[in-house]
Short mmCIF file of all heavy atoms in Angstrom, two decimals:
data_model
loop_
_atom_site.label_atom_id
_atom_site.label_comp_id
_atom_site.label_asym_id
_atom_site.label_seq_id
_atom_site.Cartn_x
_atom_site.Cartn_y
_atom_site.Cartn_z
N SER A 39 1.98 -33.47 -109.70
CA SER A 39 0.51 -33.79 -109.42
C SER A 39 -0.22 -32.55 -108.85
O SER A 39 -1.37 -32.38 -109.04
CB SER A 39 0.28 -35.00 -108.59
OG SER A 39 0.97 -34.90 -107.41
N SER A 40 0.53 -31.78 -108.08
CA SER A 40 0.00 -30.49 -107.58
C SER A 40 -0.26 -29.42 -108.56
O SER A 40 -0.82 -28.33 -108.17
CB SER A 40 0.93 -29.97 -106.48
OG SER A 40 2.19 -29.61 -107.11
N GLY A 41 0.34 -29.51 -109.76
CA GLY A 41 0.18 -28.62 -110.84
C GLY A 41 1.46 -27.66 -110.92
O GLY A 41 1.53 -26.87 -111.82
N GLU A 42 2.41 -27.88 -110.06
CA GLU A 42 3.53 -27.09 -110.10
C GLU A 42 4.39 -27.46 -111.33
O GLU A 42 4.64 -28.57 -111.57
CB GLU A 42 4.43 -27.35 -108.76
CG GLU A 42 5.77 -26.66 -108.85
CD GLU A 42 6.68 -26.95 -107.69
OE1 GLU A 42 6.23 -27.89 -106.75
OE2 GLU A 42 7.82 -26.59 -107.56
N VAL A 43 4.91 -26.42 -112.04
CA VAL A 43 5.65 -26.68 -113.34
C VAL A 43 7.04 -27.05 -112.92
O VAL A 43 7.58 -26.43 -112.00
CB VAL A 43 5.61 -25.41 -114.18
CG1 VAL A 43 6.53 -25.68 -115.44
CG2 VAL A 43 4.23 -25.16 -114.58
N LEU A 44 7.59 -28.06 -113.45
CA LEU A 44 8.94 -28.49 -113.26
C LEU A 44 9.94 -27.68 -114.00
O LEU A 44 9.71 -27.18 -115.17
CB LEU A 44 9.20 -29.97 -113.64
CG LEU A 44 8.24 -30.91 -112.79
CD1 LEU A 44 8.46 -32.37 -113.50
CD2 LEU A 44 8.72 -30.91 -111.42
N GLY A 45 11.05 -27.38 -113.31
CA GLY A 45 12.13 -26.46 -113.89
C GLY A 45 13.46 -26.89 -113.47
O GLY A 45 13.96 -27.94 -113.69
N ASP A 46 14.13 -25.93 -112.72
CA ASP A 46 15.38 -26.25 -112.13
C ASP A 46 15.46 -27.35 -111.10
O ASP A 46 14.40 -27.57 -110.43
CB ASP A 46 16.12 -25.02 -111.50
CG ASP A 46 16.25 -23.81 -112.55
OD1 ASP A 46 16.29 -24.13 -113.68
OD2 ASP A 46 16.56 -22.81 -112.02
N VAL A 47 16.47 -28.08 -110.95
CA VAL A 47 16.53 -29.14 -109.83
C VAL A 47 16.38 -28.25 -108.50
O VAL A 47 17.01 -27.25 -108.19
CB VAL A 47 17.90 -29.79 -109.88
CG1 VAL A 47 18.10 -30.66 -108.64
CG2 VAL A 47 17.96 -30.67 -111.14
N VAL A 48 15.53 -28.91 -107.60
CA VAL A 48 15.50 -28.30 -106.27
C VAL A 48 16.68 -28.83 -105.50
O VAL A 48 16.86 -30.03 -105.22
CB VAL A 48 14.18 -28.77 -105.62
CG1 VAL A 48 14.13 -28.32 -104.14
CG2 VAL A 48 12.96 -28.37 -106.41
N LEU A 49 17.41 -27.89 -105.10
CA LEU A 49 18.76 -28.21 -104.32
C LEU A 49 18.42 -28.45 -102.83
O LEU A 49 17.48 -27.82 -102.19
CB LEU A 49 19.74 -27.07 -104.43
CG LEU A 49 20.14 -26.72 -105.89
CD1 LEU A 49 20.87 -25.44 -106.02
CD2 LEU A 49 20.79 -27.97 -106.53
N PRO A 50 19.36 -29.20 -102.19
CA PRO A 50 19.24 -29.48 -100.68
C PRO A 50 19.54 -28.11 -100.06
O PRO A 50 20.08 -27.22 -100.52
CB PRO A 50 20.27 -30.48 -100.46
CG PRO A 50 21.26 -30.53 -101.61
CD PRO A 50 20.41 -29.89 -102.80
N PRO A 51 19.06 -27.97 -98.71
CA PRO A 51 19.17 -26.73 -97.97
C PRO A 51 20.69 -26.23 -97.91
O PRO A 51 20.91 -25.12 -97.77
CB PRO A 51 18.58 -27.04 -96.69
CG PRO A 51 17.74 -28.31 -96.84
CD PRO A 51 18.35 -29.01 -98.07
N TRP A 52 21.57 -27.18 -97.87
CA TRP A 52 22.94 -26.78 -97.75
C TRP A 52 23.66 -26.25 -98.84
O TRP A 52 24.82 -25.85 -98.89
CB TRP A 52 23.81 -28.03 -97.15
CG TRP A 52 23.66 -29.34 -97.87
CD1 TRP A 52 22.84 -30.32 -97.55
CD2 TRP A 52 24.19 -29.65 -99.11
NE1 TRP A 52 22.96 -31.32 -98.41
CE2 TRP A 52 23.76 -31.00 -99.38
CE3 TRP A 52 25.19 -29.13 -99.95
CZ2 TRP A 52 24.20 -31.62 -100.51
CZ3 TRP A 52 25.61 -29.78 -101.12
CH2 TRP A 52 25.16 -31.07 -101.36
N ALA A 53 22.99 -26.15 -100.11
CA ALA A 53 23.53 -25.60 -101.25
C ALA A 53 22.83 -24.37 -101.61
O ALA A 53 21.56 -24.29 -101.75
CB ALA A 53 23.35 -26.57 -102.43
N SER A 54 23.47 -23.24 -101.75
CA SER A 54 23.02 -21.95 -101.99
C SER A 54 22.74 -21.76 -103.44
O SER A 54 21.94 -20.75 -103.81
CB SER A 54 23.89 -20.84 -101.40
OG SER A 54 25.10 -20.85 -101.99
N SER A 55 23.36 -22.49 -104.34
CA SER A 55 23.05 -22.31 -105.78
C SER A 55 23.55 -23.56 -106.42
O SER A 55 24.26 -24.45 -105.79
CB SER A 55 23.82 -21.05 -106.26
OG SER A 55 25.31 -21.41 -106.24
N ALA A 56 23.32 -23.74 -107.74
CA ALA A 56 23.84 -24.90 -108.39
C ALA A 56 25.34 -24.83 -108.47
O ALA A 56 25.94 -25.95 -108.34
CB ALA A 56 23.25 -24.81 -109.96
N GLY A 57 25.97 -23.77 -108.56
CA GLY A 57 27.48 -23.78 -108.58
C GLY A 57 27.95 -24.08 -107.19
O GLY A 57 28.98 -24.81 -107.20
N ASP A 58 27.34 -23.69 -106.15
CA ASP A 58 27.73 -24.07 -104.72
C ASP A 58 27.57 -25.68 -104.63
O ASP A 58 28.43 -26.32 -104.00
CB ASP A 58 26.85 -23.42 -103.76
CG ASP A 58 27.35 -23.67 -102.37
OD1 ASP A 58 28.51 -23.59 -102.02
OD2 ASP A 58 26.35 -23.91 -101.51
#
Side-chain angles (χ1 to χ4, degrees):
S39 58
S40 66
E42 178 186 357
V43 177
L44 297 173
D46 295 344
V47 170
V48 177
L49 300 170
W52 48 262
S54 61
S55 67
D58 183 49

